C-alpha cells in the first residue's frame, strides 16, 4: 500500500480560523505575523478516522515517514538525511538515583546531525522543495542551523543561517562544513531572529522557524509516536524536555494527543517543561506573572530564548494534560549532565540535561516513586 498523507486543514492557534490544507501555507491569513511572539501560527489538522486504519504505515527503515498518515507530506522529492528512529534507553540506575519508578531516555543524539531538530528539518525541507523553494533560512543558537545546513547540503538547496554573537566555535565549524552562508548577529538569539526575519523575509526565502512555518512541529511530534511505539503503544506518566521557544515539547504533546485520538493509546502523559533559572519566560507565563524572563546568561545556550515563539502552543498542551513548567539552576543542569554520562552512558548537550534536572526536582519529595518517565535527550554533546 502506498503511503499518503491525510492532512485536511490548517487552524490558527491564535484566532481559531480554519483554512483548507495547502503545502505552501505559512501564517494565518487573518492574524499574519504581528508581533513575532504572538503570530498567527497555523496548526495542521488530519482526517483521524481514516488515519486510524493506516497508522503507522511503512517499515521502521522509513524513519519518520512511516508515520506519513499524520504528516503534511508522505515522501520527499529531494534526498533527505534519515531523521528519527532513535533509541529509547532504559535507565534503571539513574531512575534509582533520582527516585523515580522507571526512567527511559529518548536519545535524540542519534539523529543525523545529533539533535531532535532533524525531525522538523526533514519535514520542513521536504515541504519547501515541494512548494518550489530553493533557499531556506533560519535564526538559531546552533542546532536548528546545523540541522538545516546538513539537510540543505544533502537536498542541494541553499541555506542561510543567523546565529547569536556568542555561538560556540564548534557550531560554526559544523555550519561551515555543510556550506551554509553564516550571518553572525551582533546580539543574542532574539536579535538574530529579528535580523533573519528582516533579510530572509525581504528576499522571499523559505523560513525554517517554528514561529512561521506550520510544518516543523509535525516532524517533531514523531518523537512521541516513537516513544509510545517503543513502549508497546503505552504512554509514560511523564515526558520531560527543555523549553526554549516551546515548539519541541508542544510537538510531543500533540503527538501523544493524536495517538489517543486514533485509539492507539488510552491516556496522555503529563508534560514537564524545563527552563534555566537565568531565562524562564515560559515559566513566568505559566504562572501568570508579568515581566521578562531573566538575565539570559545561562550556559543552556539552546534554550536562551527571551521571547518564546511557541509559548501559546506549549501552554495549551501543558494545560490539556495537567503538566507543568519549572526552572532549574545551571548547577543542577551540570549535575544532571554528569549523571546522564556516568549512570547511563549518554553524552548530552548541556541544554538537554535540563530535562533530567527538572525531573529530579519533581521527584525530590518522593512523589514519583511509582511513576514512569521519559526524558527527551534533545541533543548530543558537541561543545557549546
Ligand atoms: C531547540 C532545542 C531545545 C528546545 O526546543 P524549543 O522548541 O525551542 O523549545 C531543547 N534542546 C535542544 C538541544 C535544542 O536544540
Ligand atoms: Zn489567526
Amino acid at each position: 500500500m502506498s503511503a499518503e498523507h491525510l492532512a485536511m486543514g490548517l487552524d490558527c492557534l491564535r484566532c481559531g480560523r480554519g483554512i483548507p490544507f495547502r503545502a505552501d501555507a505559512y501564517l494565518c491569513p487573518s492574524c499574519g505575523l504581528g508581533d513575532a511572539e504572538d503570530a498567527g501560527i497555523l496548526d495542521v489538522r488530519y482526517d483521524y478516522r481514516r488515519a486510524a486504519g493506516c497508522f503507522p504505515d511503512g517499515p521502521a527503515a522509513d524513519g519518520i515517514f512511516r508515520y506519513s498518515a499524520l504528516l503534511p507530506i508522505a515522501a520527499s522529492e529531494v534526498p533527505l538525511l534519515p531523521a528519527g528512529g532513535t533509541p529509547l534507553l532504559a535507565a534503571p540506575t539513574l531512575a534509582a538515583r533520582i527516585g523515580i519508578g522507571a526512567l527511559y531516555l529518548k536519545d535524540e543524539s542519534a539523529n543525523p546531525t545529533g539533535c531532535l531538530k532533524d525531525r522538523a528539518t526533514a519535514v520542513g525541507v521536504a515541504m519547501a522543495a515541494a512548494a518550489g523553494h530553493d533557499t531556506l533560512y533560519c535564526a538559531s543558537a546552533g542546532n536548528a542551523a546545523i540541522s538545516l545546513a546538513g539537510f540543505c547540503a544533502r537536498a542541494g538547496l541553499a541555506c542561510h543561517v543567523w546565529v547569536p554573537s556568542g555561538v560556540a566555535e564548534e557550531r560554526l565549524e559544523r555550519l561551515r562544513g555543510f556550506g551554509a552562508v553564516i550571518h553572525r548577529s551582533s546580539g543574542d538569539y532574539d536579535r538574530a531572529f529579528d535580523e533573519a526575519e528582516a533579510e530572509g523575509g525581504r528576499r522571499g526565502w523559505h523560513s525554517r522557524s517554528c514561529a512561521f512555518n506550520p510544518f516543523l512541529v509535525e516532524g517533531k511530534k514523531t518523537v512521541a509516536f516513537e516513544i509510545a511505539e517503543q513502549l508497546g503503544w503505552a504512554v509514560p506518566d511523564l515526558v520531560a524536555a527543555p523549553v526554549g521557544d516551546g515548539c519541541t515539547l508542544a510537538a510531543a504533546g500533540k503527538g501523544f494527543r493524536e495517538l489517543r485520538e486514533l485509539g492507539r493509546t488510552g491516556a496522555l502523559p503529563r508534560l514537564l517543561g524545563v527552563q534555566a533559572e537565568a531565562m524562564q519566560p515560559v515559566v513566568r507565563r505559566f504562572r501568570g506573572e508579568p515581566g521578562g524572563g531573566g538575565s539570559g546568561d545561562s550556559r543552556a545556550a539552546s534554550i536562551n530564548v527571551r521571547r518564546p515563539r511557541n509559548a501559546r502552543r506549549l501552554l495549551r498542551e501543558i494545560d490539556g494534560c495537567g503538566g507543568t513548567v519549572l526552572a532549574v539552576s545551571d548547577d543542577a543542569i551540570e549535575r544532571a549532565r554528569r549523571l546522564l554520562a556516568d549512570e547511563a552512558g549518554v553524552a548530552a548537550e548541556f541544554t538537554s540535561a535540563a530535562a533530567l534536572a527538572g525531573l529530579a526536582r519533581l521527584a525530590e519529595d518522593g512523589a514519583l516513586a511509582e511513576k514512569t518517565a521519559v526524558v527527551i535527550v534533545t541533543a548530543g554533546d558537541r561543545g557549546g
Side-chain angles (χ1 to χ4, degrees), residues 12-13 35 41 63 88 99 107 168 180 232 280 363 365:
C12 176
L13 289 169
D35 166 12
I41 302 174
L88 185 72
D107 185 7
Q280 44 174 315
D365 63 358

Side-chain angles (χ1 to χ4, degrees), residues 268-334:
L268 295 179
R270 285 177 63 206
L271 301 176
L272 169 62
V274 188
Q275 299 211 283
E277 276 174 2
M279 183 63 89
Q280 44 174 315
V282 178
V283 175
R284 293 261 167 86
R285 261 173 83 163
F286 178 69
R287 295 190 187 136
E289 292 168 8
S295 65
D297 50 11
S298 166
R299 278 181 60 205
S302 297
I303 52 172
N304 264 338
V305 178
R306 198 175 306 278
R307 290 180 279 134
R309 277 110 195 143
N310 265 271
R312 181 194 299 276
R313 187 195 288 277
L314 176 60
L315 293 177
R316 190 177 292 194
E317 294 292 348
I318 297 264
D319 211 41
C321 69
T324 192
V325 194
L326 56 80
V328 292
S329 68
D330 277 20
D331 285 348
I333 299 175
E334 176 57 24

Side-chain angles (χ1 to χ4, degrees), residues 95-111:
R97 274 293 290 271
I98 69 167
I100 188 155
L103 178 64
Y104 296 87
L105 307 174
K106 183 62 172 163
D107 185 7
E108 291 295 296
S109 72
N111 277 298

Side-chain angles (χ1 to χ4, degrees), residues 115-117 142-144 171 189 210 220 241-249 302-303 305 310 314 349 351-352 377-380 382:
C115 183
L116 180 144
K117 289 195 164 69
N143 287 330
R171 294 181 175 211
Y189 166 72
C210 292
K220 287 185 179 179
V243 170
D245 276 317
C247 178
T248 301
L249 188 61
S302 297
I303 52 172
V305 178
N310 265 271
L314 176 60
E349 177 179 319
T351 293
S352 299
V377 180
T378 45
R382 53 164 167 243

Side-chain angles (χ1 to χ4, degrees), residues 90-346:
T93 325
L94 197 46
R97 274 293 290 271
I98 69 167
I100 188 155
L103 178 64
Y104 296 87
L105 307 174
K106 183 62 172 163
D107 185 7
E108 291 295 296
S109 72
N111 277 298
T113 78
C115 183
L116 180 144
K117 289 195 164 69
D118 287 344
R119 296 177 185 273
T121 308
V123 172
V125 166
M127 293 296 283
H133 296 284
D134 58 12
T135 304
L136 284 91
Y137 74 98
C138 73
S140 159
N143 287 330
I146 291 168
S147 178
L148 183 63
F151 276 78
C152 284
R154 175 146 176 81
L157 301 168
C159 176
H160 287 253
V161 299
W162 276 258
V163 294
S165 58
V167 67
E169 186 54 36
E170 292 91 330
R171 294 181 175 211
L172 290 171
E173 208 45 57
R174 290 282 295 272
L175 288 168
R176 288 187 202 109
F178 287 135
V181 181
I182 303 169
H183 305 261
R184 206 159 168 177
S185 172
S186 55
D188 61 7
Y189 166 72
D190 294 271
R191 175 83 168 262
F193 184 94
D194 291 341
E195 291 169 1
E197 210 22 56
E199 181 153 354
R202 183 168 55 79
R203 292 182 182 256
W205 295 336
H206 195 67
S207 171
R208 188 227 173 275
S209 164
C210 292
F212 315 106
N213 189 321
F215 304 123
L216 302 172
V217 71
E218 302 305 302
K220 287 185 179 179
K221 77 186 181 187
T222 60
V223 75
F225 298 162
E226 288 182 13
I227 290 170
E229 189 168 9
Q230 286 165 317
L231 292 174
W233 297 113
V235 297
D237 298 301
L238 276 148
V239 173
V243 170
D245 276 317
C247 178
T248 301
L249 188 61
K254 180 175 184 183
F256 285 114
R257 266 195 302 110
E258 290 185 331
L259 291 175
R260 192 180 59 167
E261 180 84 28
L262 296 187
R264 274 299 185 160
T265 57
L268 295 179
R270 285 177 63 206
L271 301 176
L272 169 62
V274 188
Q275 299 211 283
E277 276 174 2
M279 183 63 89
Q280 44 174 315
V282 178
V283 175
R284 293 261 167 86
R285 261 173 83 163
F286 178 69
R287 295 190 187 136
E289 292 168 8
S295 65
D297 50 11
S298 166
R299 278 181 60 205
S302 297
I303 52 172
N304 264 338
V305 178
R306 198 175 306 278
R307 290 180 279 134
R309 277 110 195 143
N310 265 271
R312 181 194 299 276
R313 187 195 288 277
L314 176 60
L315 293 177
R316 190 177 292 194
E317 294 292 348
I318 297 264
D319 211 41
C321 69
T324 192
V325 194
L326 56 80
V328 292
S329 68
D330 277 20
D331 285 348
I333 299 175
E334 176 57 24
R335 281 195 298 277
R337 191 190 65 76
R338 292 219 185 107
L339 275 177
L340 280 168
D342 293 351
E343 306 282 349
V346 171

Side-chain angles (χ1 to χ4, degrees), residues 12-17 28-32 40-42:
C12 176
L13 289 169
R14 187 167 176 273
C15 76
R17 175 173 173 190
C28 167
S30 303
C31 296
I41 302 174
L42 295 169

